[in-house]
Amino acid sequence: MKIIDYFEKAEQQTLVSFEVLPPLKGGSMGDIFNTLDPLMEFKPPFIDVTYHREEFVYNKRASGYYEKTSIRKRPGTVGICASIMHRYGIDAIPHLICGGFSVEETENALIDLHFLGINNVLALRGDARQFEDKFIPEPSGHKYAVDLVRQIHEMNQGMYLDSNIENGTPTDFCIGVAGYPEKHFESPNFAMDIAYLKEKIDAGASYIVTQMFFDNQHFFRFRDACKKEGINVPIVPGLKPVTRKYQLNSIPRKFFINFPEQLVQEIHAADDKHTKQIGIEWCVQQCLELKKEGVPCLHFYTMGDVDTTFKIVEKIA
Ligand code: FAD
């Protein structure tokens, strides 16, 4: 079923959904099932599975020189989606990125998804690789997520890259895209970021999932700005609790978000055990307010921490 149909069917009810990361190479599907089995109690209609492109690593050789090699630490997104759908009978949404893909490889990946009966995707650009200071697309790859959305939308019309294909089978993907309540870090300003988000919707995306945020006012401002720009698709807030003190620095560094002063003060004053409790309670309060505001779904970045996610969702269900 398409993600937007879940939102429509739920009417005014707020759904919950979860995002999982493929296990590190060498791990197993058991790692994913251990995370998801307990969370099934909350009846998520869909699960997102992230995509991780290859990274360059530098290994020191006996000669003293460094050898540059490319590895993918978390492969398996599509297989995990198929396993989730098979085990739980719910939808799984693979994240698909521009980085590392030529347009032909993108098309082939989409054909695989279509054949597997996966008809929801979250279309993203991806980030710069480690040791690269900006995102570099493949020579024949997409530069922005909007280009990927356009390609998927064209396939939904039966248009493939090979112009010799006549009457190509139309795919039927429901396309989600990312939004940033505190602005994407590369964007010159908030208004421009929203304008580019509108382009993704106009190109064929049907819903938005946001970057995590810890102050709901950012989300409400973002939602209102979207509306003003003419973006009328469902906007799903992405949520993650703070569980460790060091995250006060690591999360802003990685996700370019700000922590509200009150949360920072509370965590500074707490010991490690209480930090987690404060993070959970903060996230619960965020969820309750967002629910009251009628968001279609609360989307949790589990990051493998099933215990914390469970504690939050059981309080808001
Ligand atoms: P875009 O929409 O392409 O935007 C990137 C930047 O370019 C923005 O600053 C935007 O304002 C600007 N821009 C957009 N269009 C144009 C244009 N036409 N001209 C000029 N500028 C433009 N990364 C992964 O690698 N794997 C994942 O699984 C993954 N999952 C994610 C899930 C969510 C919900 C979110 C919020 C992010 C996720 N990311 C993931 C991270 C994402 O890839 C990065 O945030 C990336 O830097 C931007 O991706 P995007 O799709 O928002 O890019």
Side-chain angles (χ1 to χ4, degrees):
M1 189 158 147
K2 291 190 180 175
I3 297 314
I4 45 165
D5 293 338
Y6 286 115
F7 300 150
E8 209 169 307
K9 209 170 129 204
E11 294 176 347
Q12 301 306 317
Q13 295 247 32
T14 300
L15 305 170
V16 291
S17 62
F18 305 104
E19 177 190 280
V20 292
L21 277 63
L24 285 166
K25 196 185 274 188
S28 76
M29 262 318 283
D31 303 339
I32 299 287
F33 294 149
N34 288 341
T35 301
L36 290 180
D37 280 355
L39 298 176
M40 284 302 130
E41 183 178 326
F42 304 114
K43 301 196 172 10
F46 59 90
I47 302 293
D48 274 56
V49 184
T50 55
Y51 184 90
H52 301 260
R53 67 181 296 189
E54 82 289 359
E55 286 291 348
F56 291 135
V57 290
Y58 291 85
N59 295 316
K60 196 170 186 181
R61 295 288 165 224
S63 61
Y65 286 107
Y66 283 87
E67 187 183 53
K68 182 180 172 187
T69 45
S70 166
I71 54 160
R72 276 190 70 201
K73 291 185 181 167
R74 293 182 185 272
T77 300
V78 175
I80 291 170
C81 285
S83 294
I84 287 173
M85 288 168 75
H86 179 69
R87 182 175 174 102
Y88 303 112
I90 62 173
D91 277 293
I93 309 180
H95 292 188
L96 193 60
I97 66 169
C98 305
F101 283 81
S102 66
V103 290
E104 289 79 13
E105 287 163 339
T106 298
E107 183 175 274
N108 292 339
L110 287 161
I111 289 170
D112 270 342
L113 295 176
H114 178 60
F115 288 166
L116 280 166
I118 296 172
N119 55 8
N120 295 287
V121 283
L122 193 72
L124 302 144
R125 187 196 69 179
D127 280 318
R129 273 188 291 218
Q130 249 181 316
F131 310 115
E132 287 178 349
D133 64 352
K134 63 173 194 248
F135 174 79
I136 303 171
E138 291 304 294
S140 86
H142 296 306
K143 192 170 177 193
Y144 297 109
V146 65
D147 305 316
L148 174 57
V149 173
R150 286 197 185 107
Q151 183 177 6
I152 304 170
H153 185 66
E154 282 179 3
M155 285 180 69
N156 281 350
Q157 319 300 310
M159 289 159 63
Y160 290 73
L161 294 170
D162 181 352
S163 56
N164 289 324
I165 297 175
E166 284 176 18
N167 303 321
T169 307
T171 54
D172 190 23
F173 290 108
C174 172
I175 311 166
V177 289
Y180 301 84
E182 295 181 62
K183 177 184 101 55
H184 184 261
F185 71 102
E186 291 169 25
S187 198
N189 62 40
F190 185 72
M192 243 174 143
D193 207 28
I194 300 285
Y196 285 130
L197 178 56
K198 172 82 163 49
E199 275 192 5
K200 293 195 275 192
I201 304 306
D202 291 346
S206 301
Y207 70 99
I208 297 164
V209 185
T210 78
Q211 182 58 279
M212 66 182 74
F213 55 90
F214 295 84
D215 180 344
N216 285 353
Q217 291 313 314
H218 291 304
F219 178 82
F220 299 140
R221 174 172 170 249
F222 172 77
R223 180 196 59 185
D224 295 347
C226 285
K227 203 165 174 200
K228 215 168 146 204
E229 188 74 21
I231 297 173
N232 295 310
V233 298
I235 303 178
V236 175
L239 294 148
K240 181 198 158 7
V242 181
T243 52
R244 303 258 196 288
K245 274 188 185 213
Y246 71 80
Q247 292 173 331
L248 288 183
N249 301 110
S250 64
I251 289 179
R253 194 164 58 233
K254 188 144 191 244
F255 299 104
F256 304 95
I257 56 86
N258 289 284
F259 283 114
E261 185 58 26
Q262 189 191 336
L263 179 60
V264 174
Q265 278 179 10
E266 284 182 27
I267 291 178
H268 271 317
D271 56 26
D272 279 342
K273 193 171 144 226
H274 288 99
T275 295
K276 192 167 180 174
Q277 198 43 47
I278 290 166
I280 289 174
E281 194 44 43
W282 189 274
C283 191
V284 167
Q285 292 310 320
Q286 276 192 276
C287 292
L288 292 175
E289 189 181 24
L290 290 164
K291 238 178 130 172
K292 224 164 133 189
E293 285 283 319
V295 298
C297 182
L298 295 163
H299 185 65
F300 294 92
Y301 299 115
T302 65
M303 299 192 174
D305 188 349
V306 58
D307 180 50
T308 305
T309 313
F310 192 96
K311 282 188 175 131
I312 293 165
V313 184
E314 72 175 345
K315 285 192 177 179
I316 57 154

